[in-house]
Amino acid sequence: MLKTALIAVAISTTITVPPNQMNTSYGVTSVLSDMRAQSLYSVQQPLEPQIQYLEGVQIYGAKMKTYESYKLFNKASNQYKLQLQCYTDENGLRYTMYNNEKFYCVAVGTGTGLTVGDYGYLLLEDGTYVNIVVGDIKQNIHTNNNNTVTLHSNCASEFIVDTVKLNKDVKRMGDVSYVNNWNGNVVMIGKVNFIIYK
């Protein structure tokens, strides 16, 4: 689950919230309760989640997108517990669903500031955003000075997969870039927020 998501409310309808209650402790549930209680509250369609991609860590020279088997995690680890909530897609990639969005399980370096269970993204050089959930953390001993890219493979994003169902091209080339047109370099890794909008 998203541990530290900040949720904002942005709608065109009029709501009245006491100024002294508009702070971080006045959560979205309270705001929506106030809205429902007011006669002016009306929307034409239900509120839906929208992803906001926050500014992240710059990545350099990381075109390769390697993979690791989800079956290797210790059963006492957070990595394993996350996999109990995940599925395998048609290419053998592991993912989870959050607010009707697919997030692929990926191992990242400590330099990203992310930890297991965090929801985030990979930004590719062509502008593509790949939604991820952090499924594992790379060991610093294997990464560059910024602890973002694996030295021997130039990889910043190691996808977690089911090797039995893994796409044949990915398995042959050792690179997840061969699915979903993810051919470009990874240029940024960061967190996501979910914004509620009309």
Side-chain angles (χ1 to χ4, degrees), residues 79-98:
Q79 287 89 332
Y80 178 85
K81 293 173 184 176
L82 175 64
Q83 289 305 309
L84 296 178
Q85 305 171 41
C86 294
Y87 310 92
T88 302
D89 75 2
E90 67 278 5
N91 290 305
L93 308 184
R94 298 286 290 171
Y95 70 94
T96 189
M97 299 295 296
Y98 190 84

Side-chain angles (χ1 to χ4, degrees), residues 13-28:
T13 187
T14 303
I15 65 170
T16 304
V17 179
N20 65 338
Q21 292 182 320
M22 287 303 293
N23 55 43
T24 55
S25 64
Y26 196 80
V28 66

Side-chain angles (χ1 to χ4, degrees), residues 36-70:
R36 293 189 185 100
Q38 295 181 47
S39 60
L40 292 176
Y41 174 62
S42 64
V43 293
Q44 296 180 350
Q45 57 185 348
L47 298 176
E48 299 177 4
Q50 173 82 0
I51 293 178
Q52 178 190 39
Y53 298 99
L54 304 180
E55 185 173 356
V57 175
Q58 293 282 342
I59 306 295
Y60 301 96
K63 183 173 184 179
M64 190 82 166
K65 302 167 190 72
T66 58
Y67 63 84
E68 65 176 313
S69 172
Y70 82 101

Side-chain angles (χ1 to χ4, degrees), residues 2 5 35 38-39 47 57 73-74 89 94-95 103 107 118 152 159 179-180 183 189:
L2 184 62
M35 290 164 56
Q38 295 181 47
S39 60
L47 298 176
V57 175
F73 297 129
N74 185 299
D89 75 2
R94 298 286 290 171
Y95 70 94
F103 286 79
D118 283 346
H152 79 273
F159 282 73
V179 300
N180 301 325
N183 296 312
I189 298 177

Side-chain angles (χ1 to χ4, degrees), residues 28 45 56 60 62 69-70 72 75 81 98 101 104 119 123 138 149 156-157:
V28 66
Q45 57 185 348
Y60 301 96
S69 172
Y70 82 101
L72 300 179
K75 291 187 177 182
K81 293 173 184 176
Y98 190 84
E101 295 280 350
Y104 290 94
Y119 287 85
L123 174 60
K138 295 172 178 280
V149 178
S157 51

Side-chain angles (χ1 to χ4, degrees), residues 69-150:
S69 172
Y70 82 101
K71 296 179 180 179
L72 300 179
F73 297 129
N74 185 299
K75 291 187 177 182
S77 68
N78 289 331
Q79 287 89 332
Y80 178 85
K81 293 173 184 176
L82 175 64
Q83 289 305 309
L84 296 178
Q85 305 171 41
C86 294
Y87 310 92
T88 302
D89 75 2
E90 67 278 5
N91 290 305
L93 308 184
R94 298 286 290 171
Y95 70 94
T96 189
M97 299 295 296
Y98 190 84
N99 282 341
N100 296 317
E101 295 280 350
K102 183 182 284 188
F103 286 79
Y104 290 94
C105 300
V106 174
V108 298
T110 60
T112 64
L114 301 176
T115 191
V116 173
D118 283 346
Y119 287 85
Y121 66 89
L122 309 175
L123 174 60
L124 307 185
E125 61 186 343
D126 65 359
T128 298
Y129 286 89
V130 180
N131 296 334
I132 67 169
V133 59
V134 178
D136 197 12
I137 299 294
K138 295 172 178 280
Q139 295 182 4
N140 288 345
I141 192 172
H142 297 146
T143 56
N144 62 1
N145 292 338
N146 297 326
N147 298 127
T148 55
V149 178
T150 302

